[in-house]
């Protein structure tokens, strides 16, 4: 699985957009980009994932560059409850096309949202 | 719709003992993965079960074993506990096929004395 690089920490003002970058320069063609977050004492929460195209759901938007070597998770209007560790993960499909879905977590980005 | 549930939430054991942790997957999910998360670290993949068999395994010793039942629920067993096994143990479930994301439970906090 490809490795990812994220900033150790970021700050954001409440109500502003939080833009969390991730580099995955060695990503393979069959690898998806997943984003999870983990609030203290809870399990990781799935946010969003994508392959090539930009994706949006009720939680966030995912912007993937055309060469797929980096991506940005956007929380459009950050709240205090968005303070968490955010993990960017790339995960491959196996040769048979069935995702085993093994997730390789790094250290993530600690996002702190300030009032 | 219940999500992934794990039991117990907390557990204290002593070195050398054995422990069993349990996981019920999210409704409609047939695959269960287990992760270990040491304090201050990201989760590390232990293994994954599908159709009652271990399908993939991470870099963990044989002291770590598991089981999946016909109803897709799963157990993680750890024998001969070491102090270093103290961690948060997370279960994640998913539906095999395509790129379905895994959904996590809130884990079992295991402390070894």
């Amino acid at each position: 699985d490809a490795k990812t690089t994220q900033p150790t920490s970021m700050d954001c003002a409440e109500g502003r957009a939080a833009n969390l970058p991730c580099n995955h320069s060695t990503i393979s063609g069959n690898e998806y980009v997943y984003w999870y977050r983990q609030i203290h004492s809870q399990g990781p929460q799935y946010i969003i994932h994508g392959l090539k195209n930009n994706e949006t759901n009720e939680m966030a938007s995912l912007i993937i560059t055309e060469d797929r070597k980096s991506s940005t998770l956007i929380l459009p209007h950050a709240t205090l409850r968005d303070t968490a560790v955010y993990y960017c993960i790339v995960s491959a499909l196996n040769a048979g096309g069935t995702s085993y879905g093994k997730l390789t977590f790094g250290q993530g980005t600690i996002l702190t949202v300030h009032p | 719709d219940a999500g992934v549930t794990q039991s117990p939430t907390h557990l204290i054991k002593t070195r050398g003992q054995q422990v069993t942790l349990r996981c019920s997957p999210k409704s409609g999910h047939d695959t269960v993965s287990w992760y270990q998360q040491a304090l201050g670290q990201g989760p590390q993949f232990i293994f994954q079960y599908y159709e009652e068999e271990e399908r993939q395994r991470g870099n963990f010793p044989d002291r770590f074993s598991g089981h999946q039942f016909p109803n897709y629920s799963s157990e993680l067993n750890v024998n001969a506990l070491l102090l270093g096994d103290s961690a948060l143990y997370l279960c994640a479930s998913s539906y095999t096929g395509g790129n379905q994301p895994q959904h996590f439970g809130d884990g079992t906090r295991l402390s070894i004395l």
Side-chain angles (χ1 to χ4, degrees):
Chain A
D1 294 339
K3 290 185 177 179
T4 63
T5 303
Q6 299 178 252
T8 302
S9 63
M10 295 183 65
D11 291 331
C12 179
E14 190 176 20
R16 297 284 203 171
N19 298 280
L20 289 84
C22 179
N23 287 320
H24 31 79
S25 58
T26 60
I27 191 170
S28 300
N30 63 351
E31 288 181 318
Y32 286 76
V33 180
Y34 291 82
W35 282 84
Y36 284 80
R37 72 181 182 184
Q38 188 171 25
I39 297 170
H40 184 60
S41 299
Q42 296 182 16
Q45 178 188 23
Y46 165 76
I47 302 174
I48 198 167
H49 73 286
L51 182 63
K52 295 180 182 178
N53 300 320
N54 299 337
E55 303 287 344
T56 296
N57 63 20
E58 65 279 3
M59 289 184 67
S61 295
L62 173 61
I63 309 298
I64 303 174
T65 58
E66 192 169 347
D67 63 7
R68 302 210 321 124
K69 292 184 177 181
S70 65
S71 62
T72 301
L73 177 74
I74 301 173
L75 307 179
H77 305 288
T79 71
L80 299 178
R81 289 178 294 180
D82 292 322
T83 294
V85 179
Y86 286 77
Y87 295 100
C88 169
I89 302 163
V90 292
S91 181
L93 299 176
N94 73 353
T98 299
S99 173
Y100 283 0
K102 170 188 171 183
L103 300 176
T104 301
F105 288 80
Q107 293 293 95
T109 296
I110 301 171
L111 175 68
T112 303
V113 181
H114 297 285
Chain B
D1 178 22
V4 179
T5 58
Q6 294 186 242
S7 63
T9 54
H10 295 83
L11 201 52
I12 299 174
K13 292 285 188 179
T14 58
R15 284 180 297 174
Q17 285 189 312
Q18 178 266 344
V19 69
T20 297
L21 311 181
R22 294 175 175 83
C23 172
S24 292
K26 183 180 168 85
S27 178
H29 286 184
D30 58 6
T31 302
V32 173
S33 301
W34 287 92
Y35 294 80
Q36 180 195 65
Q37 186 173 24
L39 202 60
Q41 304 294 318
Q44 300 298 306
F45 176 77
I46 302 175
F47 43 52
Q48 183 181 89
Y49 276 82
Y50 172 67
E51 293 189 335
E52 302 180 47
E53 291 190 356
E54 182 182 295
R55 180 162 69 175
Q56 192 176 20
R57 190 178 183 93
N59 188 26
F60 280 80
D62 292 344
R63 297 187 298 109
F64 289 77
S65 63
H67 189 77
Q68 185 180 33
F69 299 93
N71 66 353
Y72 308 119
S73 67
S74 177
E75 289 181 349
L76 164 66
N77 302 293
V78 186
N79 295 323
L81 287 166
L82 304 173
L83 293 178
D85 295 331
S86 293
L88 180 66
Y89 288 85
L90 295 159
C91 171
S93 72
S94 59
Y95 175 70
T96 285
N99 62 341
Q100 301 301 315
Q102 295 183 26
H103 293 266
F104 285 80
D106 283 336
T108 294
R109 173 70 64 185
L110 176 63
S111 299
I112 311 301
L113 302 179

